[in-house]
Structures are given as structure tokens and as C-alpha cells.
Amino acid sequence: MALPIGCTPVLKGKEAAEFLERLKKEESERRQLVSTPKLGSVRKALLADARKKK
């Protein structure tokens, strides 16, 4: 059975300031690429599904 959807939490005060600082810090950090071996098959499935619905 599915759980009910709760309210979206809102950050205030110190928590909000810490979150914004973390966002600004991580904004310029470079991340390594993650391989996505199934990307091609997913793309094909999406396109096939889109063609069916037209």
C-alpha cells in the first residue's frame, strides 16, 4: 500500500544558510562522469513508445 505524500520541508534560519553555502561551494566543483551502459537501449525504448502514441 502506498504511503501518503507529506508536505515539502522548508529550511529556515541556520539550516537554510548552511544549505545555500553548500550549494555555492559545490556549484563550481567538477564531478567525474558516470558511465551509463544502458543509455542507448533506454533511448530506443523511449523513442519506440513515443512513436506508438502518435
Side-chain angles (χ1 to χ4, degrees), residues 4-13 15-16 19:
I5 297 173
C7 296
T8 302
V10 177
L11 297 177
K12 294 182 180 179
E15 291 177 334
F19 180 72

Side-chain angles (χ1 to χ4, degrees), residues 7-25:
C7 296
T8 302
V10 177
L11 297 177
K12 294 182 180 179
K14 183 180 176 184
E15 291 177 334
E18 289 174 355
F19 180 72
L20 287 174
E21 284 179 27
R22 190 173 123 206
L23 280 180
K24 288 178 184 176
K25 184 183 101 180

Side-chain angles (χ1 to χ4, degrees), residues 10-52:
V10 177
L11 297 177
K12 294 182 180 179
K14 183 180 176 184
E15 291 177 334
E18 289 174 355
F19 180 72
L20 287 174
E21 284 179 27
R22 190 173 123 206
L23 280 180
K24 288 178 184 176
K25 184 183 101 180
E26 293 179 357
E27 183 177 44
S28 60
E29 288 182 7
R30 293 241 174 201
R31 303 283 182 188
Q32 291 183 349
L33 295 177
V34 177
S35 65
T36 51
K38 296 181 181 180
L39 183 62
S41 61
V42 170
R43 182 178 287 139
K44 287 179 187 176
L46 286 172
L47 291 173
D49 188 50
R51 287 186 195 111
K52 283 182 194 176

